[in-house]
Amino acid sequence: MIPSKSTPNIVFMGSPTFAVPILEQLARHYAVVGVVTQPDRPAGRGNKLTPPPVKEVANRLGIPVIQPLRLSEPAAMSQLEQWQPDLIVVAAFGQILKPKVLNLPPFGCVNVHASLLPRWRGAAPIAAAILHGDPESGITIMKMDEGVDTGPILSQRAIPIFDSDNCLTLSARLAELGAQLLLETLPDYLEGKIIPQEQDHQKATYAPMLKKENGELDFHQPATDLWRKVRAFYPWPGAFTYLDGKHLIIHEASPIEISHDFPIGQTVRYQKKAAVATLKGLLELVKVQPSGKKPISGSDLINGYRNWGKIVLPDYGNHLSS
């Protein structure tokens, strides 16, 4: 049975779209007395100051919000103490919680993490699961400690990763699963019916924060690996290569598992498809975005480059066109 909204008091910490359904569902069943999220930051072509998705939801729900650059700021800590949380729920917040915060609520801090811990601790677990060809991902509800995703597990649930999944679609499915599993877990946790299970730290793997340059495609890798990278890095940081010395963003791709004698990086017209020769197989460029232009199909790309099939894309790390 879910406790009434009057108890316990919960503070929610989260920032991106992944955290939105978790906050929405939590607020329907519990008293969320405050939300902590990241500061507004410039975004888009105009670098317009944009609030995190969680802030917009909290404002719509009428929940007080603070946006400290660092949670350790005296004003932020003062507000946290005034809210007197019984529990803090964290979902993709983006800051490390210090012991002073971890020890503030009587029930501690609970994290909704988008992986099957101890696999893929860290900042980018969804991308890492796709990138490494994992057959499944999932949600772990964990009691937080001072480490990075090292705390004991309260509950876990897995879902398959489909070939059609990219980071955006898998993140959306995991967010809904996270909201559901959190609501299933909290009643027993708050009533002391769950014994947290320590992780097997020997099996831990790590998913570091992604950087823009991580998206560059190296055609000396197999087409299947590059296909996973395109999916893992969509929509951010985005997979890309260089064509005529300019960025060519790859939104969608598909591996063509055939033997070939083309030089690595050679552009290929394969059954009217825009493809590139890789270490093993061809990588079809299904949907791309030339620098400064709108996304186009691979066939439109071929039409725009009459010499497609003669162009050799630059070696990984070499940003000059051939």
Side-chain angles (χ1 to χ4, degrees), residues 187-249:
D188 284 346
Y189 172 66
L190 294 170
E191 292 173 14
K193 295 180 180 179
I194 293 178
I195 300 174
Q197 301 296 312
E198 185 175 359
Q199 296 183 37
D200 185 347
H201 302 292
Q202 298 296 319
K203 294 182 179 179
T205 57
Y206 295 88
M209 185 176 296
L210 298 174
K211 299 178 180 178
K212 190 69 178 177
E213 56 266 28
N214 295 147
E216 185 172 357
L217 297 182
D218 178 3
F219 296 106
H220 291 81
Q221 296 178 349
T224 299
D225 291 358
L226 296 175
W227 165 63
R228 289 176 183 150
K229 187 170 187 176
V230 171
R231 293 161 53 220
F233 288 9
Y234 182 85
W236 198 93
F240 67 90
T241 185
Y242 290 87
L243 182 60
D244 288 343
K246 298 179 181 179
H247 263 81
L248 180 69
I249 302 172

Side-chain angles (χ1 to χ4, degrees), residues 102-123:
L102 294 171
N103 298 326
L104 177 63
F107 288 98
C109 300
V110 168
N111 180 244
V112 183
H113 185 76
S115 84
L116 299 172
L117 291 172
R119 188 162 179 79
W120 305 131
R121 295 173 177 174

Side-chain angles (χ1 to χ4, degrees), residues 12-314:
F12 182 82
M13 298 183 179
S15 298
T17 303
F18 171 81
V20 165
I22 299 169
L23 171 58
E24 288 176 331
Q25 290 299 319
L26 187 66
R28 288 180 184 177
H29 299 282
Y30 291 90
V32 179
V33 297
V35 164
V36 188
T37 190
Q38 295 281 29
D40 295 2
R41 291 198 166 93
R45 287 189 175 182
N47 277 333
K48 182 181 178 182
L49 208 58
T50 305
V54 160
K55 179 184 178 180
E56 296 179 320
V57 172
N59 287 341
R60 172 166 53 82
L61 296 175
I63 304 172
V65 178
I66 60 172
Q67 297 175 269
L69 192 61
R70 292 181 179 83
L71 199 51
S72 57
E73 294 172 7
M77 284 304 306
S78 175
Q79 181 59 76
L80 271 181
E81 291 167 356
Q82 288 178 42
W83 279 333
Q84 296 183 314
D86 298 297
L87 172 71
I88 293 175
V89 173
V90 181
F93 176 45
Q95 295 187 35
I96 301 295
L97 273 56
K98 302 293 185 183
K100 190 174 182 180
V101 177
L102 294 171
N103 298 326
L104 177 63
F107 288 98
C109 300
V110 168
N111 180 244
V112 183
H113 185 76
S115 84
L116 299 172
L117 291 172
R119 188 162 179 79
W120 305 131
R121 295 173 177 174
I126 301 174
I130 296 174
L131 186 64
H132 290 79
D134 291 4
E136 62 181 11
S137 181
I139 290 291
T140 300
I141 309 294
M142 168 194 68
K143 185 170 184 182
M144 300 175 71
D145 60 16
E146 294 181 44
V148 177
D149 302 324
T150 56
I153 294 170
L154 305 180
S155 61
Q156 245 179 9
R157 187 165 297 160
I159 58 172
I161 298 176
F162 303 124
D163 286 352
S164 58
D165 271 323
N166 56 35
C167 197
L168 186 66
T169 61
L170 183 56
S171 178
R173 290 200 291 129
L174 286 171
E176 295 296 336
L177 177 64
Q180 177 186 345
L181 187 59
L182 178 67
L183 290 183
E184 291 178 11
T185 303
L186 283 184
D188 284 346
Y189 172 66
L190 294 170
E191 292 173 14
K193 295 180 180 179
I194 293 178
I195 300 174
Q197 301 296 312
E198 185 175 359
Q199 296 183 37
D200 185 347
H201 302 292
Q202 298 296 319
K203 294 182 179 179
T205 57
Y206 295 88
M209 185 176 296
L210 298 174
K211 299 178 180 178
K212 190 69 178 177
E213 56 266 28
N214 295 147
E216 185 172 357
L217 297 182
D218 178 3
F219 296 106
H220 291 81
Q221 296 178 349
T224 299
D225 291 358
L226 296 175
W227 165 63
R228 289 176 183 150
K229 187 170 187 176
V230 171
R231 293 161 53 220
F233 288 9
Y234 182 85
W236 198 93
F240 67 90
T241 185
Y242 290 87
L243 182 60
D244 288 343
K246 298 179 181 179
H247 263 81
L248 180 69
I249 302 172
I250 317 299
H251 289 308
E252 294 179 30
S254 181
I256 302 172
E257 297 180 357
I258 61 168
S259 299
H260 67 79
D261 296 321
F262 297 111
I264 289 177
Q266 173 76 52
T267 57
V268 179
R269 291 174 180 258
Y270 180 78
Q271 297 179 354
K272 298 182 179 180
K273 299 173 182 178
V276 182
T278 74
L279 176 66
K280 185 178 181 182
L282 304 178
L283 184 72
E284 180 192 354
L285 307 185
V286 178
K287 185 178 180 181
V288 302
Q289 185 172 1
S291 181
K293 298 182 180 179
K294 294 181 179 180
I296 59 174
S297 67
S299 58
D300 286 339
L301 180 66
I302 289 179
N303 292 336
Y305 285 86
R306 299 292 182 181
N307 58 342
W308 189 270
K310 299 179 182 178
I311 304 169
V312 178
L313 299 183

